[in-house]
Amino acid sequence: MMKLYYAPGACSIGTHFLMEEMGLTYDTGRLDLKQGDQLKPAYLDVNPKAKVPALVRDDGSLLTEFVAIAFWLGRTYPEKGMIPEGMEAEVRTLEMLDYAVATIHMQGFSRLFRPAKFARSEAEHDWVREQGRAVVDKAFGIVSERLGSSDFIMGDRLTLADAALFYVLFWGVDRVKLDVPENLAAYYARLRARPSAQKVFADEGIQFS
């Protein structure tokens, strides 16, 4: 059986959401990043990168990195429809998947959440956060334009890209309390209300005030 290693509320929540949407059978391993579980020998033996998500597959091999895991899941279970048919639809899905992870997460939220990684001086941390906020705001505007009035980012069906947008919007709307474009807020509300999302929130112990 596959095993997903995650940390509550981390980017791995998107992988968790995706696997629930696909109706897969899998086990989970929960890490507390604040307690340094990712740096302990027991987890480093599984994933020397000391990060989540990490997926141990049925054959015992390890797969890491959000985009790689999502793509592998989509390709391994094509009947779940998480990768649209046709080259153009597929590359557009991967384009948005990568944009959510590489830009919104890594360039934007990383600066908001961990400014010390981008500036040694604490006096510069607010400036770093401002830069991160600018990246996120611009990116959410681009996603909003792409989404338009569609139910999902690729149209009328949920794909891999929606799983990545789910976690960055969770951070933006529920953690940072950002104002996002109206259609994007409604889109996230639809994702958040799905049974898969509700199960993931419950499993990860995430509560909303």
Side-chain angles (χ1 to χ4, degrees), residues 20-209:
E20 282 298 319
E21 277 289 332
M22 296 176 74
L24 303 178
T25 300
Y26 62 99
D27 197 2
T28 58
R30 181 187 182 109
L31 280 72
D32 186 332
L33 301 185
K34 291 183 179 179
Q35 295 298 317
D37 288 351
Q38 74 277 21
L39 301 175
K40 295 177 181 177
Y43 186 63
L44 291 175
D45 285 345
V46 175
N47 181 15
K49 292 180 179 178
K51 58 190 290 190
V52 292
L55 183 68
V56 177
R57 296 179 287 185
D58 290 334
D59 64 0
S61 63
L62 176 71
L63 189 62
T64 64
E65 309 303 331
F66 189 99
V67 173
I69 293 171
F71 185 72
W72 180 81
L73 289 169
R75 282 293 196 194
T76 302
Y77 303 96
E79 71 278 6
K80 304 298 184 180
M82 291 296 167
I83 300 177
E85 294 183 1
M87 177 64 78
E88 182 65 14
E90 181 174 340
V91 297
R92 291 300 182 188
T93 299
L94 295 177
E95 176 186 42
M96 186 55 71
L97 171 64
D98 188 64
Y99 187 59
V101 176
T103 298
I104 303 177
H105 173 174
M106 298 305 298
Q107 297 299 322
F109 281 110
S110 289
R111 284 176 166 81
L112 281 169
F113 294 154
R114 298 181 177 179
K117 286 185 172 290
F118 297 89
R120 290 184 178 181
S121 171
E122 189 172 347
E124 295 180 310
H125 288 184
D126 284 345
W127 177 81
V128 171
R129 292 188 186 96
E130 289 173 4
Q131 296 301 306
R133 174 66 185 269
V135 170
V136 170
D137 286 346
K138 178 181 178 181
F140 279 163
I142 290 171
V143 175
S144 170
E145 185 174 350
R146 171 72 69 84
L147 177 67
S149 60
S150 298
D151 288 337
F152 302 104
I153 197 63
M154 291 302 298
D156 61 358
R157 187 165 186 169
L158 190 144
T159 66
L160 304 180
D162 295 290
L165 291 170
F166 169 75
Y167 88 76
V168 293
L169 283 165
F170 163 68
W171 287 350
V173 175
D174 285 321
R175 286 185 60 179
V176 185
K177 309 298 184 184
L178 299 179
D179 290 326
V180 300
E182 185 176 351
N183 68 330
L184 208 55
Y187 162 68
Y188 174 61
R190 291 193 298 273
L191 294 178
R192 193 176 184 265
R194 293 176 73 85
S196 56
Q198 293 301 305
K199 184 177 186 304
V200 167
F201 289 140
D203 289 349
E204 297 199 5
I206 295 171
Q207 299 179 341
F208 302 95
S209 56

